[in-house]
Amino acid sequence: MSLLSDTSQTKLKKYLVDEHILNQSDIDKITADATKQGESFVSLLIKNNYLDNELLTKYLALINKVPYVNLTKVYVNEKILDYIPQDLAQNYMAVPIGIVDGKLAVAMLEADNIQAIDFLTTKIGRPIDVYSASEEGIRNILKQYKVNITDKVINQFTEDNETTNKDQNNIIANSKIKTIPQDSPVSKILTSILEYAANNRASDVHIEPTEHILRIRARVDGILREIMQLPKNIEPALVSRIKILANLKIDEHRIPQDGDFSILVSEKKIDLRISISPIVWGEQIVIRLLDKTGISLLLDDMGYTGRALRAIRSGISASNGMILTSGPTGSGKTTSLYALLSEVKSDAVNIVTMEDPVEYKISGINQIQVNPEVGLTFASGLRSILRQDPDIVMVGEIRDNETAELAIQAALTGHLVFSTLHTNSAAGILPRLLDMGIEPFLIASTIKTVIGQRLIRTIGEKKEEYSSNEVENAAITQTVGKLLPSSKEQVDNVSNDLGYKDLPLSTQNAYTLSRGIDSPDSPNGFKGRTGIFEAFEVTPTIQDLILKRATSTEIQNKAQEEGMITMRQDGYLKALKGLTTLQEVDRVASSDKV
């Protein structure tokens, strides 16, 4: 909310008192605090939770006799959005929301801005009705614009393919947060792609050259979707633009290159990791987006619960040993490590990490970025770390025998070590270390807890309940039937043990399941992701199996006998609680086989 004039503030204060929203003593206190702290009256209203931005916008609209609309959960038809181009809508924070009595209804952040209203009326070429809306509501509509690259921009690029060279001097050279200049078509194209990806919660953007076109895809909630196609002749300039921003060699096309930079989208800083690889038809670019806003690094918020959570907390409570997590790329292993660090962080311990790259910077933790070009590898860095008097060590990934041996030695000499391995299951971690040449007795004596994980899509806010069919009943019975309570008397105890409240009875003929309703904000009914996990402690019986060089299947079976909940079982329990669907769990964790 922008600063209000003195007249508007006076009107707002009077309205809040007259409508019994706040009393006069509250108003006087907030006014005095605002003067003392050098802040505005409005900012303190919101900061101290007297009002939220939406209510404030509504009250100001009533005071100024402007119609108000709440757009935070509204979806607008694409044809309506076409009335105001995206760049114009962003510049004036004004979005079209419908046609009312032949006039275009436009919601604005500053609904009393007469100059902006006159300009939009002239630009659109038809009369408009103005509504007041909050910044959050308008940004919700702005996110609904598709990637906005017009034929005019593409044609402009074709006419002037020297724009890449013109842009090179327009970059902020000494800042990791880049301002992408908008004076060239290729810059507008890149900005549109990145803004679309950021606004739609994409984790990755793939820019893929084919023989005749340039294909752009985005990964949202783990699923890749094509968002647009560009003419082939745009590829060289677009690749060069990204290389310049990431401080890479623009004339190197034969070998892979990696870089990074940050951008601001909707006043949020988003870190971008760039990976460029030469392929048959050109250079493929994968951009990973790391939006750190709204990320919780608490184990409870990530989906850990019940037996798995207890096993993990038991492991990290030890003074030494190793806690290892496994899963494929993009399964949230690194985020889990950060959550473990957040759990054990205190002024009493020295925590040092080796990472590639450092994705989240955490105050109170000494984080080291791997740099193989100067000889700083996981192995060499770990040797250095052990001379830094650490209590807890995190190694981003165990990739080879040398790193594994050093991590094991660190655990043996009184350090608590966290790390990751690429295996298909928690049980697969232990044989994988054997394959790396680590002696069985060292594994058995140092590993405390192992974790396997995947990420599954969660159902959006709009959903419906239904009764399971025979096929779903059979799958539920086979997967979690033995875990569910068999009588009402057991519900509380079993639910507390598994970490899910009010679980259904295993004797039911049908179960209540949920599925999402497809919407622009929740494609195919899904929005966001959570983890499914399996975790177990290395007990004496499992230590015996390790000493005998048992297979991962044998270790998995023993862990389940001792109470481990598998990833698939954890997913089914989440489905029974309405967080996801059975089909989504089966897609991600199709089998418990290892």
Side-chain angles (χ1 to χ4, degrees):
M1 176 65 64
S2 57
L3 292 175
L4 298 180
S5 66
D6 291 342
T7 302
S8 295
Q9 282 197 38
T10 301
K11 288 181 179 179
L12 176 62
K13 292 175 183 179
K14 184 177 185 303
Y15 179 86
L16 294 175
V17 173
D18 291 346
E19 296 298 320
H20 306 291
I21 299 163
L22 294 176
N23 56 46
Q24 188 61 49
S25 61
D26 290 329
I27 297 293
D28 293 341
K29 181 180 183 303
I30 298 167
T31 303
D33 288 345
T35 302
K36 184 178 179 180
Q37 297 173 25
E39 295 193 45
S40 70
F41 173 79
V42 169
S43 65
L44 279 191
L45 270 179
I46 297 171
K47 184 178 178 180
N48 294 333
N49 297 319
Y50 289 101
L51 298 176
D52 60 26
N53 224 347
E54 203 62 47
L55 270 177
L56 179 62
T57 303
K58 180 179 180 180
Y59 295 152
L60 289 173
L62 290 169
I63 291 168
N64 295 317
K65 296 181 172 55
V66 176
Y68 158 80
V69 60
N70 185 335
L71 299 177
T72 54
K73 295 184 179 180
V74 169
Y75 299 99
V76 177
N77 187 286
E78 282 183 48
K79 293 181 180 179
I80 298 296
L81 292 178
D82 288 341
Y83 280 101
I84 299 181
Q86 186 178 8
D87 55 348
L88 205 62
Q90 288 177 326
N91 187 41
Y92 285 94
M93 289 299 284
V95 292
I97 55 176
I99 303 293
V100 180
D101 297 330
K103 294 183 178 180
L104 180 66
V106 177
M108 299 181 65
L109 184 62
E110 297 180 352
D112 57 349
N113 188 333
I114 303 300
Q115 288 181 325
I117 294 170
D118 289 344
F119 175 81
L120 289 172
T121 302
T122 303
K123 192 75 174 176
I124 296 167
R126 65 183 301 161
I128 65 175
D129 276 335
V130 177
Y131 292 76
S132 178
S134 68
E135 182 176 349
E136 291 85 351
I138 290 174
R139 291 200 183 281
N140 175 53
I141 305 302
L142 288 173
K143 288 194 297 185
Q144 296 170 36
Y145 278 89
K146 301 297 183 185
V147 180
N148 187 26
I149 300 175
T150 63
D151 291 339
K152 180 181 177 182
V153 171
I154 293 175
N155 292 337
Q156 183 183 349
F157 173 83
T158 304
E159 293 167 5
D160 183 7
N161 58 13
E162 297 178 356
T163 51
T164 300
N165 294 328
K166 293 178 183 179
D167 290 340
Q168 292 187 22
N169 296 323
N170 293 328
I171 300 167
I172 302 175
N174 297 319
S175 174
K176 276 287 184 181
I177 302 180
K178 303 297 184 181
T179 301
I180 303 177
Q182 293 303 302
D183 58 350
S184 71
V186 71
S187 296
K188 293 177 182 177
I189 291 169
L190 179 58
T191 298
S192 296
I193 292 170
L194 294 178
E195 286 186 349
Y196 175 87
N199 288 331
N200 286 274
R201 314 180 319 277
S203 60
D204 303 88
V205 172
H206 292 233
I207 300 174
E208 302 166 325
T210 65
E211 185 176 6
H212 301 295
I213 61 166
L214 189 63
R215 183 168 69 154
I216 314 296
R217 295 195 291 173
R219 188 182 297 278
V220 179
D221 293 337
I223 305 296
L224 270 175
R225 300 182 180 90
E226 184 174 295
I227 58 174
M228 67 180 307
Q229 294 182 357
L230 292 172
K232 180 72 173 175
N233 64 343
I234 289 178
E235 179 195 338
L238 185 59
V239 172
S240 294
R241 158 59 50 216
I242 294 170
K243 285 181 177 179
I244 291 169
L245 290 168
N247 293 322
L248 301 177
K249 297 177 181 178
I250 62 172
D251 58 346
E252 179 57 77
H253 308 288
R254 302 163 300 168
I255 61 174
Q257 295 189 77
D258 295 320
D260 63 90
F261 62 95
S262 299
I263 59 171
L264 288 175
V265 176
S266 301
E267 299 182 359
K268 293 192 301 183
K269 178 187 174 186
I270 297 178
D271 292 339
L272 306 178
R273 283 165 49 192
I274 313 299
S275 176
I276 303 179
S277 296
I279 62 173
V280 172
W281 301 114
E283 290 180 273
Q284 179 187 15
I285 301 176
V286 176
I287 304 173
R288 171 154 291 189
L289 292 84
L290 298 171
D291 181 2
K292 299 167 186 175
T293 59
I295 296 292
S296 172
L297 295 179
L298 298 177
L299 290 172
D300 304 76
D301 294 340
M302 295 174 60
Y304 287 103
T305 187
R307 297 177 190 175
L309 186 57
R310 291 196 295 274
I312 292 166
R313 285 187 167 146
S314 174
I316 64 178
S317 66
S319 59
N320 60 76
M322 292 185 70
I323 289 87
L324 297 174
T325 181
S326 70
T329 301
S331 60
K333 300 188 300 298
T334 302
T335 307
S336 286
L337 289 184
Y338 284 118
L340 294 178
L341 292 178
S342 298
E343 188 98 353
V344 298
K345 186 183 72 169
S346 77
D347 292 337
V349 295
N350 176 25
I351 302 175
V352 187
T353 74
M354 283 295 306
E355 306 174 56
D356 184 21
V358 176
E359 292 188 5
Y360 301 99
K361 296 177 178 65
I362 304 177
S363 176
I365 294 177
N366 304 298
Q367 298 170 272
I368 300 172
Q369 168 72 55
V370 169
N371 187 354
E373 291 183 4
V374 297
L376 182 56
T377 63
F378 279 114
S380 64
L382 189 49
R383 286 194 184 91
S384 174
I385 284 176
L386 297 179
R387 295 191 288 271
Q388 296 288 312
D389 186 32
D391 298 290
I392 298 170
V393 175
M394 185 189 99
V395 182
E397 184 181 344
I398 294 177
R399 297 176 177 173
D400 51 48
N401 169 265
E402 186 180 11
T403 306
E405 286 185 342
L406 287 168
I408 290 284
Q409 289 301 319
L412 281 173
T413 53
H415 303 90
L416 189 59
V417 180
F418 302 152
S419 192
T420 68
L421 277 171
H422 282 280
T423 63
N424 290 328
S425 67
I429 288 176
L430 305 174
R432 178 77 181 100
L433 289 172
L434 289 173
D435 293 341
M436 287 184 170
I438 306 301
E439 291 296 331
F441 73 90
L442 291 176
I443 299 172
S445 59
T446 55
I447 310 298
K448 300 296 183 184
T449 303
V450 292
I451 307 163
Q453 65 183 77
R454 298 286 191 280
L455 291 176
I456 56 171
R457 292 178 294 173
T458 52
I459 297 171
E461 291 181 9
K462 294 183 178 181
K463 59 183 178 180
E464 60 184 6
E465 294 184 342
Y466 70 99
S467 294
S468 57
N469 57 37
E470 290 184 8
V471 174
E472 290 168 330
N473 287 341
I476 292 169
T477 300
Q478 181 181 358
T479 306
V480 295
K482 293 180 181 179
L483 299 175
L484 297 176
S486 57
S487 66
K488 291 182 179 179
E489 292 74 23
Q490 295 179 338
V491 169
D492 287 343
N493 287 338
V494 173
S495 296
N496 289 335
D497 176 44
L498 298 178
Y500 297 97
K501 292 183 178 179
D502 302 320
L503 287 171
L505 301 179
S506 60
T507 54
Q508 291 180 199
N509 294 324
Y511 298 89
T512 300
L513 301 174
S514 298
R515 57 191 166 209
I517 297 173
D518 189 34
S519 71
D521 195 43
S522 304
N524 299 315
F526 293 102
K527 182 179 181 180
R529 290 191 290 177
T530 190
I532 53 174
F533 305 95
E534 58 187 25
F536 64 88
E537 297 179 70
V538 178
T539 61
T541 52
I542 292 178
Q543 287 177 339
D544 290 339
L545 289 176
I546 296 170
L547 294 173
K548 296 174 183 175
R549 295 180 177 270
T551 65
S552 55
T553 300
E554 291 172 319
I555 295 172
Q556 173 98 351
N557 292 337
K558 178 56 68 175
Q560 285 185 250
E561 286 178 24
E562 295 183 346
M564 182 188 78
I565 305 299
T566 68
M567 283 184 280
R568 189 163 188 252
Q569 288 173 330
D570 188 36
Y572 268 49
L573 292 173
K574 284 180 166 69
L576 288 172
K577 297 309 298 176
L579 299 175
T580 188
T581 66
L582 299 181
Q583 294 77 15
E584 173 66 6
V585 177
D586 289 339
R587 180 185 70 85
V588 175
S590 58
S591 174
D592 293 327
K593 301 296 183 185
V594 292

